[in-house]
Amino acid sequence: MKKIVTSIFVIAVTLILTVNLTSAFFSDTETSTNNKFVSGAIDLLINGTNDTVGIVNIADLKPGDNIDVNKDLFINSNPAYVWMHIFDVTSQQGEQTEPEDLEESQNGIKSDIQNYLTYDLSIDRNGDEIVDEVIVDPTHNNLLPDMVSCWIPLGELPGLTNVNLTQSFHFDSTVTNWAQGDILNFSEEFYAVQVRNNPNASPPDNGTGRVWDPNLRKCVDCTPGVTYASSVISSIQGKRNNGSDVLVNRSVTENVLGIPDSNDLNNPKWYSLGFGGQIIVKFNFPVSDGNGVDLSFHEITGGRDSYPLEKANVYVSNDNVTYEFAGTITSEPGGDGIYYLDISSTSFSSIQYVKVVDSTDPLLHISTADGYDLDAIDAVYGTCTN
């Protein structure tokens, strides 16, 4: 199992305080010896040992089984961020049985039981066996292969505390005789790195091109480059110009996610901010400040050539706490409704959150107007960093 161990070292420092006098007045010399620094340690133990073998060892798996496997994680001695990596998944026929031979002679050879195992994951950081975070729950219906070849974040683990990690495996009840005697092997490794003075900690590159998707709660293939906002963090919808609520079909926040798709004005697939309203969206992974424009905003307006100006102010953040103003976007009367911004005017080298706040002038609009209409936000320099 991969771990990070910070070697202990001792530095002896001798500090001599000497008073140099030119006359024979009273004087004194004091010496402070054995001054030292001792480095802290990060040593991650799995079930009390290093490089534990065969924690998951199920010898009699049957269709319909639900199996929980508990692991005890212990960090000696400082708090650490911890990730888990499942890899080297291999399956084989194992010992053949007569029923298996008969079924496979009719339907073909199968041994991929990993594709029939759904996977849950939870953690208890307090060591009291009461779950404090479900990392993957049954509603995700993620198979074991969905957990493979990326670093799964387990979050911050306290030092000198036994942390309970529970993996749950659910074997599909519809599996038939083809799986009798088949064998599935896989490996796991854990990576721990200090919390202190390490606000942007990340696991090492595993070279697979797969990363953890925090929304889908599984590993996904990732290619750096153009990417779209993937989740809505919060929204406060304003009102129409006459003080009434924005129409229901223009009030679905998820319409701002993914690619632009609002071609039909009779079937709105955008979100109207309402006058003074706002929305905060998140990208799956950080967006870097690259050369030229970094973000583009897709606005929807009917009769763009003649419709009055709609606009909004944009703020960006890398932690959803500290936001900086990045610019003002507009509906571009007479244009295509796509407005571009460069985040180089901020102090961020990368961002992950975008806040859009309507700043449309109500005096320019009719009573039923509903402010800036947002269809999509895309980024040019999306990364694949957990």
Side-chain angles (χ1 to χ4, degrees):
M1 303 299 175
K2 183 174 290 186
K3 57 193 177 71
I4 297 299
V5 180
T6 303
S7 300
I8 298 176
F9 62 95
V10 176
I11 302 174
V13 179
T14 301
L15 177 63
I16 302 177
L17 304 176
T18 305
V19 180
N20 294 318
L21 302 176
T22 58
S23 302
F25 294 106
F26 293 150
S27 65
D28 186 21
T29 299
E30 299 291 343
T31 300
S32 174
T33 61
N34 293 325
N35 298 289
K36 63 181 178 180
F37 294 97
V38 178
S39 71
I42 294 292
D43 188 5
L44 175 62
L45 304 180
I46 310 299
N47 289 352
T49 65
N50 289 310
D51 298 329
T52 308
V53 177
I55 299 175
V56 181
N57 189 9
I58 310 303
D60 187 25
L61 183 66
K62 295 289 198 304
D65 278 354
N66 298 300
I67 298 172
D68 290 340
V69 177
N70 295 300
K71 294 180 175 66
D72 181 84
L73 308 183
F74 185 85
I75 305 245
N76 182 25
S77 57
N78 294 282
Y81 299 115
V82 178
W83 290 262
M84 181 177 69
H85 178 211
I86 300 174
F87 63 104
D88 286 352
V89 176
T90 59
S91 58
Q92 59 194 56
Q93 284 286 301
E95 182 178 347
Q96 292 293 105
T97 65
E98 181 183 358
E100 183 177 13
D101 285 335
L102 177 61
E103 182 172 323
E104 290 185 334
S105 68
Q106 297 171 343
N107 302 316
I109 295 175
K110 283 177 64 67
S111 61
D112 58 333
I113 60 177
Q114 70 271 18
N115 292 318
Y116 296 85
L117 280 168
T118 55
Y119 181 90
D120 311 337
L121 181 65
S122 60
I123 193 167
D124 159 45
R125 296 178 181 81
N126 301 311
D128 54 13
E129 298 185 354
I130 298 176
V131 171
D132 74 295
E133 183 182 358
V134 176
I135 299 174
V136 182
D137 67 46
T139 63
H140 290 105
N141 291 315
N142 287 332
L143 296 170
L144 179 59
D146 293 324
M147 302 295 117
V148 172
S149 297
C150 79
W151 288 103
I152 302 173
L154 303 182
E156 179 180 336
L157 273 58
L160 300 178
T161 301
N162 289 306
V163 173
N164 298 307
L165 182 72
T166 301
Q167 294 172 294
S168 299
F169 301 86
H170 311 280
F171 198 33
D172 192 332
S173 61
T174 66
V175 169
T176 55
N177 287 333
W178 64 263
Q180 288 196 33
D182 290 356
I183 298 171
L184 175 67
N185 293 295
F186 63 90
S187 298
E188 296 177 341
E189 62 181 347
F190 294 80
Y191 176 82
V193 64
Q194 70 182 55
V195 169
R196 196 169 70 201
N197 305 321
N198 197 11
N200 299 310
S202 62
D205 183 3
N206 61 20
T208 66
R210 285 170 64 81
V211 293
W212 179 251
D213 187 314
N215 296 311
L216 299 177
R217 298 303 177 104
K218 65 179 183 180
C219 301
V220 297
D221 295 329
C222 181
T223 302
V226 176
T227 184
Y228 292 87
S230 58
S231 59
V232 175
I233 301 302
S234 65
S235 64
I236 303 174
Q237 193 173 38
K239 300 290 186 179
R240 295 202 290 181
N241 207 8
N242 59 13
S244 63
D245 290 339
V246 176
L247 298 178
V248 173
N249 61 1
R250 298 182 176 207
S251 302
V252 180
T253 57
E254 285 73 17
N255 283 346
V256 308
L257 305 179
I259 63 173
D261 55 4
S262 292
N263 299 328
D264 185 359
L265 295 177
N266 295 316
N267 181 27
K269 293 183 180 179
W270 66 83
Y271 177 72
S272 297
L273 293 177
F275 285 89
Q278 69 174 50
I279 191 169
I280 297 176
V281 299
K282 180 183 179 182
F283 289 87
N284 263 355
F285 307 106
V287 173
S288 297
D289 176 20
N291 295 322
V293 297
D294 304 301
L295 299 171
S296 66
F297 300 79
H298 300 255
E299 196 273 345
I300 295 297
T301 293
R304 188 179 303 281
D305 290 342
S306 59
Y307 198 80
L309 182 72
E310 295 175 340
K311 62 180 183 177
N313 293 325
V314 174
Y315 304 83
V316 295
S317 172
N318 61 6
D319 60 5
N320 196 31
V321 176
T322 302
Y323 279 86
E324 295 185 19
F325 178 69
T328 298
I329 56 179
T330 78
S331 57
E332 287 197 317
D336 59 7
I338 304 175
Y339 203 95
Y340 301 89
L341 283 182
D342 185 345
I343 65 172
S344 62
S345 60
T346 72
S347 64
F348 298 120
S349 59
S350 68
I351 58 99
Q352 199 164 358
Y353 300 86
V354 177
K355 179 195 296 185
V356 184
V357 182
D358 179 80
S359 58
T360 303
D361 183 355
L363 298 179
L364 300 177
H365 290 266
I366 61 175
S367 63
T368 57
D370 51 16
Y372 189 92
D373 304 309
L374 184 60
D375 178 19
I377 304 174
D378 67 300
V380 179
Y381 303 103
T383 66
C384 293
T385 305
N386 282 97

